[in-house]
Amino acid sequence: MKQSILLEGTKFQITLKRLCQQLIENHGDFSKAVLIGIQPRGTFLAKRIQKEILAMTGTEIQLGILDITFYRDDFRVKGAAPLAANSTEIDFLIDDKDVILVDDVLWTGRTIRSAMDAMQAFGRAAKMELMVLVDRRFSRQIPIEPDYIGIQVDSIDSQRVIVSWEDVDPADSIVLVTE
């Protein structure tokens, strides 16, 4: 097994700040914008983005956490191990809001499709944007493209991209693993 470090340390932090700066440029005062992090790992990015935007602008953007377990297209696949559900914590409606959907890695697009289905329970957004830390751009099965990208990775299906967060892991990093 070979591991290649794609991003860590200062470069990781700069990438997060660049994503925040792009959001600030596009959303101004964030009066119409909300962040929604996809469980489990997208929530770490969403919380970090919320914290950075507060530090950079003094504005606290609303944050929700979305579980997509029961909206996945492989939820009831025979022979598959049962999926453990997480919790959804969205205490606001998204009607007429600009929703910034946040996930750590965009691979096939199926997670994002499931998240869009799940969000309909919270209203009809005026606009929806997608932010990902890692875009595995040559692996799409569904035509979904992110609006905000930390880094793009050209990888094959047998490779894995692992994002580590200092909140729960030893340090912030993105690693490409080849079996």
Side-chain angles (χ1 to χ4, degrees):
M1 176 171 46
K2 179 183 172 192
Q3 294 188 2
S4 303
I5 297 173
L6 302 176
L7 211 57
E8 67 180 351
T10 304
K11 289 182 180 179
F12 192 99
Q13 300 310 319
I14 290 169
T15 300
L16 291 178
K17 288 183 186 296
R18 182 176 46 80
L19 287 169
C20 290
Q21 190 60 44
Q22 289 174 346
L23 285 176
I24 293 166
E25 289 170 7
N26 290 340
H27 292 278
D29 65 359
F30 294 101
S31 60
K32 284 190 59 182
V34 297
L35 290 171
I36 297 185
I38 300 174
Q39 285 276 25
R41 308 288 290 182
T43 60
F44 297 113
L45 177 57
K47 288 176 182 177
R48 190 76 66 88
I49 293 295
Q50 181 192 38
K51 181 179 173 184
E52 286 293 328
I53 287 174
L54 179 61
M56 293 168 83
T57 67
T59 302
E60 185 158 356
I61 184 171
Q62 284 186 300
L63 172 68
I65 296 173
L66 182 66
D67 177 48
I68 62 161
T69 302
F70 301 113
Y71 294 90
R72 292 173 49 119
D73 58 5
D74 61 351
F75 177 64
R76 290 195 176 94
V77 175
K78 288 186 178 182
L83 299 171
N86 292 297
S87 62
T88 292
E89 299 170 21
I90 300 175
D91 59 356
F92 51 86
L93 293 176
I94 64 171
D95 287 325
D96 299 319
K97 296 284 187 180
D98 294 340
V99 173
I100 304 153
L101 193 58
V102 182
D103 204 5
D104 60 346
V105 179
L106 174 58
W107 185 14
T108 63
R110 292 184 179 281
T111 297
I112 305 307
R113 186 213 46 86
S114 299
M116 290 189 305
D117 289 346
M119 282 192 331
Q120 289 190 8
F122 297 95
R124 182 176 178 179
K127 181 179 182 181
M128 190 178 305
E129 297 176 324
L130 176 59
M131 173 185 282
V132 296
L133 187 58
V134 181
D135 177 14
R136 293 183 65 172
R137 63 183 176 167
F138 295 132
S139 303
R140 240 33 118 248
Q141 296 173 358
I142 296 175
I144 292 175
E145 293 298 320
D147 298 286
Y148 306 96
I149 301 168
I151 64 169
Q152 289 183 322
V153 177
D154 299 336
S155 60
I156 57 176
D157 287 344
S158 62
Q159 293 175 312
R160 293 183 322 160
V161 173
I162 299 171
V163 179
S164 299
W165 297 97
E166 69 181 11
D167 308 42
V168 292
D169 301 310
D172 291 332
S173 68
I174 301 172
V175 177
L176 180 66
V177 178
T178 305
E179 305 274 338

